[in-house]
Amino acid sequence: MLAESGSMQGLIDLIFSPSVIFLGSSAILAAYLTFRRALARPTAAVFAFFIFTAIYIWLCTAIKDHDGRLIALFPDNFPITLMLYSTFSLAWLGLWKAVQNDDRVARGEPLIEAGADDKVFTWPDLVYTELICMVVATAAITVWAIVLKAPLEPPANPMDIPNPSKAPWYFLGLQELLVYFDPWIAGVLLPGFIIVGLIAVPYIDKNPKGNGYYTFSERPLAISLFYFGFLIMWVVLIMLGTFLRGPNWNFFAPGHQWDPHQSAALLNINVSDIFWIKLLGGGLPSNFVIREMPGIVLLAVYFILIPVALARTLFARLFRQMGFVRYAIFMVLFMTTALVPIKMIFRWTINLKYIVGITEYFFNV
Amino acid sequence: MSIMNRVGDWITGSQIWGSIFRHGAPKDRRTRAMVVLTNVFLHLHPVAVRKSGIKLSFTWCMGGLTFFLFLVETISGVLLMFYYRPVVEYAYTDIQGLRAHVTLGLLREIHRWGAHAMVIAIWLHMMRVFLTGSYKPPREFNWGVGVILLVLTLLLSFTGYLLPWDQLAMWAITVGSNMARATPVLGNEGPGAAFLTIGGAPIIHAGSDARFGLLAGTFVGENALLRFYVLHCVAIPLAVSVLIAVHFWRIRKDGGISGPL
Ligand code: HEM
């Protein structure tokens, strides 16, 4: 019995690691989008709903902090449950409507949203919908407020640092990125790029199709990138940061007590170590520019040669559609975003710490 | 004619009623248009809307819900301001007092859960707008306005998080604001800051960098509390109100809720 539960725990530990969760959920998303015509059907969605709920309930009962309290039941974490269900449901609904519309177009039928000129009066059609929404929302918030008390911990004490110290839940995806990047990237550059990138979306996406209705086939790249960025890089990372990160931001799989004294063996290496020590068998040059040259070259190749190569091959049509300036801006945003999962993968496989590590000037990538 | 109808006619026939509502009940085409046109709140809407656009399965009502939650936050927030003083001595005890002494003490709960719900609703609104391609011409600018609203909403939530002045507040804000220290050039631990010197003395140090500007100090203390309070209760809500007005205006000017062209 003991042995069996031991191997069960082993399996759980294997599944619940940052790499398997991240790559696994990406794979699920990719499969879902690829086989959307079968998987986005309501029957399949109901099935997925129950599987998710079963796993989620188990997760919520299996994850405890150092005092044995259930993380999921912290009042401030209830919004995460709400967020997960509403986000995944609506992400599904959007895809399901897209599949239906794409089928209609294929059959030569009008879109669900067609009939652009059959207008109705705002009063009563719209104002009544709004009124009902407001009443429902008021009721929901009131019930929520009665059932769950707003948290109030002991008074602020600058001497007593809680471990772990976590940002508000909606920023935990960014806090999770601190594992892989220095604060200037995870906390400043990437959020800045998210904001600028979002504002730039309408000017970069020159695909005239899919304006004002749900579709997947007419804009597969845009929708896939959005789902990946929002559902995986934002929502899944929030879930990971909330439930599975414990003291010292160490990773704790379900079933493990949060132990503040557990230390993670970190033997991280930089690209410069790999190049000068492992490859050339020498020591690190003392001049930091020379020392970091291999990483700088790698980044230059990544940010310059790969976009050029893509423009000639995979993204050739996109490049023609966009023109040089748009494509260049798109590539800066796209390649920076792609660097996040790439660096994560290198951390998991070869313990990579910095591609370029000029610690002297806090310039670490 | 029943007594109710007579009272009703007497009220709607009075000068007071007529001075407020300039037309009859919205029962026909003309009055239904009038009711939207003559009411400052309703005239945020166009008179007529596309049927497919206002379907719940199309918009998910998430933009509207975000706006409604903003109103809930404004009202509950103003009420909370009567009970709360943004100074280190009182902030925490005022929150405790709110919990212990105020009848039907749901104010803080409504305000806090409303804030979380608003963050979720605005994300879902953004997802809807993206999935329907509604940011495409002519709505590019309004999408940009929306992104700024998203940032401001997160900042509202973040600044509010500090106000209860408990452990949760102090350390969440410490973790968050520590990021500012690493701002390139402007943070004292950010890349490039070391190059900014006057006669060998650094311009950017812990007492002058981006984090200092955010917290009005080198740690989360009383200055930070006051600064966050003013941002949370006055500055950001004002900015959000203005931008929401622009957002709604532009929805109308860009042709209403999107639909197939
Ligand atoms: C305080 C925040 C916000 C409020 C109160 C708000 C409110 C609304 C409302 C009521 C609509 C009408 C259609 C609907 O409900 O779906 C709308 C449309 C729109 N929103 Fe927002 N919104 C906010 C934030 C955002 C954000 C974050 C974005 C995108 C990044 C955005 C982009 C748009 C666009 C492009 C439209 C026009 C699309 C269409 O008509 O289909 N808004 N907004």
Side-chain angles (χ1 to χ4, degrees):
Chain A
M1 202 56 217
L2 251 179
E4 194 190 87
S5 70
S7 66
M8 190 67 201
Q9 185 64 51
L11 186 68
I12 292 172
D13 291 355
L14 196 70
I15 296 176
F16 283 87
S17 65
S19 51
V20 176
I21 291 179
F22 186 85
L23 297 175
S25 51
S26 305
I28 291 175
L29 176 66
Y32 203 71
L33 294 179
T34 313
F35 303 110
R36 60 191 179 279
R37 300 209 39 217
L39 294 178
R41 292 183 176 290
T43 39
V46 171
F47 192 64
F49 177 88
F50 283 117
I51 293 184
F52 178 79
T53 302
I55 297 177
Y56 191 66
I57 290 179
W58 169 74
L59 259 184
C60 291
T61 52
I63 301 177
K64 300 186 182 125
D65 72 356
H66 21 53
D67 300 327
R69 293 177 300 177
L70 292 176
I71 312 281
L73 293 188
F74 287 13
D76 255 3
N77 287 347
F78 172 70
I80 300 182
T81 303
L82 190 70
M83 187 268 295
L84 290 176
Y85 273 93
S86 54
T87 306
F88 289 151
S89 314
L90 288 180
W92 163 75
L93 182 64
L95 191 66
W96 169 231
K97 297 198 74 170
V99 168
Q100 285 173 294
N101 262 345
D102 292 342
D103 278 355
R104 282 164 179 247
V105 170
R107 287 196 305 259
E109 291 169 16
L111 297 164
I112 304 174
E113 297 88 352
D117 26 49
D118 56 338
K119 294 222 170 173
V120 291
F121 273 106
T122 293
W123 188 297
D125 281 72
L126 180 53
V127 285
Y128 274 54
T129 314
E130 288 174 346
L131 181 73
I132 294 167
C133 283
M134 285 195 280
V135 172
V136 172
T138 310
I141 284 259
T142 312
V143 171
W144 185 358
I146 292 172
V147 174
L148 280 187
K149 280 266 148 261
L152 189 64
E153 292 198 355
N157 179 357
M159 299 301 144
D160 176 14
I161 307 178
N163 189 6
S165 285
K166 291 193 180 184
W169 65 266
Y170 37 83
F171 287 144
L172 285 189
L174 292 174
Q175 199 174 350
E176 174 66 16
L177 291 185
L178 282 173
V179 174
Y180 307 96
F181 292 94
D182 274 17
W184 77 276
I185 296 186
V188 185
L189 198 73
L190 288 176
F193 270 38
I194 295 174
I195 298 168
V196 174
L198 279 174
I199 294 180
V201 160
Y203 307 98
I204 292 174
D205 178 4
K206 294 306 285 177
N207 178 359
K209 291 198 215 125
N211 185 345
Y213 53 94
Y214 292 94
T215 171
F216 185 88
S217 307
E218 294 179 14
R219 37 198 293 253
L221 182 66
I223 305 265
S224 308
L225 283 181
F226 183 81
Y227 272 142
F228 178 73
F230 182 46
L231 299 179
I232 309 291
M233 300 245 287
W234 193 256
V235 172
V236 168
L237 287 190
I238 286 177
M239 196 155 73
L240 209 148
T242 310
F243 291 131
L244 302 170
R245 289 290 181 184
N248 309 322
W249 209 254
N250 281 331
F251 191 87
F252 291 87
H256 288 280
Q257 191 80 22
W258 278 16
D259 174 8
H261 305 297
Q262 174 182 315
S263 59
L266 281 184
L267 289 168
N268 289 338
I269 57 171
N270 298 344
V271 165
S272 54
D273 299 324
I274 299 176
F275 184 81
W276 297 109
I277 301 177
K278 285 207 174 163
L279 237 56
L280 298 189
L284 287 176
S286 53
N287 181 314
F288 65 80
V289 178
I290 301 175
R291 185 189 71 211
E292 297 305 330
M293 213 22 103
I296 296 173
V297 170
L298 275 185
L299 281 185
V301 168
Y302 179 80
F303 277 104
I304 299 169
L305 289 191
I306 293 185
V308 172
L310 280 175
R312 306 218 159 151
T313 51
L314 200 61
F315 287 167
R317 229 187 61 216
L318 204 67
F319 180 65
R320 251 177 288 123
Q321 206 175 36
M322 284 180 163
F324 180 76
V325 176
R326 282 202 178 84
Y327 182 78
I329 295 173
F330 171 61
M331 272 297 141
V332 171
L333 297 167
F334 180 81
M335 296 305 280
T336 311
T337 318
L339 196 59
V340 176
I342 290 174
K343 178 134 185 231
M344 291 163 97
I345 290 171
F346 277 116
R347 173 65 58 82
W348 298 324
T349 47
I350 62 168
N351 276 330
L352 180 70
K353 187 164 172 66
Y354 293 131
I355 301 167
V356 173
I358 308 179
T359 320
E360 294 86 340
Y361 290 100
F362 300 111
F363 187 86
N364 305 313
V365 181
Chain B
M1 213 188 217
S2 77
I3 183 97
M4 285 303 280
N5 280 351
R6 265 206 233 162
V7 173
D9 284 351
W10 180 74
I11 292 176
T12 53
S14 71
Q15 188 184 356
I16 298 178
W17 183 272
S19 69
I20 303 174
F21 302 104
R22 311 222 137 183
H23 50 78
K27 284 187 180 143
D28 53 27
R29 291 178 65 85
R30 204 185 75 85
T31 43
R32 281 180 177 171
M34 289 291 283
V35 68
V36 173
L37 287 174
T38 58
N39 182 305
V40 67
F41 302 108
L42 289 180
H43 100 285
L44 287 171
H45 302 103
V47 168
V49 283
R50 195 173 288 128
K51 200 170 170 187
S52 66
I54 60 167
K55 277 230 183 88
L56 217 51
S57 66
F58 182 78
T59 65
W60 310 339
C61 202
M62 281 302 159
L65 190 60
T66 310
F67 180 52
F68 176 68
L69 287 167
F70 180 66
L71 297 181
V72 169
E73 292 304 283
T74 308
I75 295 168
S76 58
V78 168
L79 293 174
L80 279 170
M81 285 172 80
F82 288 124
Y83 297 97
Y84 174 86
R85 288 161 289 179
V87 283
V88 170
E89 291 169 87
Y90 295 127
Y92 185 77
T93 48
D94 281 353
I95 299 280
Q96 275 181 321
L98 198 66
R99 171 173 281 184
H101 305 309
V102 180
T103 323
L104 279 178
L106 288 182
L107 268 182
R108 203 182 143 228
E109 274 68 27
I110 289 183
H111 196 73
R112 194 176 188 100
W113 304 143
H116 286 310
M118 186 174 165
V119 169
I120 299 172
I122 194 171
W123 291 355
L124 297 177
H125 172 56
M126 183 175 79
M127 178 157 83
R128 190 290 282 173
V129 172
F130 192 98
L131 293 182
T132 55
S134 303
Y135 57 79
K136 300 192 175 199
R139 299 185 178 80
E140 309 100 306
F141 177 74
N142 217 13
W143 166 268
V145 174
V147 175
I148 307 286
L149 278 170
L150 173 69
V151 175
L152 289 177
T153 302
L154 290 176
L155 284 180
L156 265 180
S157 230
F158 184 67
T159 47
Y161 220 82
L162 182 64
L163 303 184
W165 204 247
D166 61 348
Q167 281 287 78
L168 199 60
M170 166 167 266
W171 294 102
I173 301 308
T174 303
V175 169
S177 60
N178 274 348
M179 296 299 113
R181 191 150 60 186
T183 315
V185 185
L186 295 179
N188 82 89
E189 289 179 10
F195 297 115
L196 293 183
T197 53
I198 297 179
I203 302 176
I204 302 292
H205 49 81
S208 73
D209 68 348
R211 183 168 182 274
F212 187 88
L214 187 66
L215 298 180
T218 52
F219 58 93
V220 178
E222 58 179 345
N223 288 344
L225 181 57
L226 182 62
R227 187 156 290 200
F228 275 45
Y229 177 76
V230 175
L231 287 174
H232 183 77
C233 301
V234 186
I236 306 179
L238 272 179
V240 170
S241 310
V242 171
L243 283 176
I244 288 183
V246 175
H247 195 61
F248 286 0
W249 175 252
R250 284 302 289 241
I251 296 172
R252 285 198 56 182
K253 292 293 142 183
D254 294 341
I257 297 176
S258 62
L261 299 170

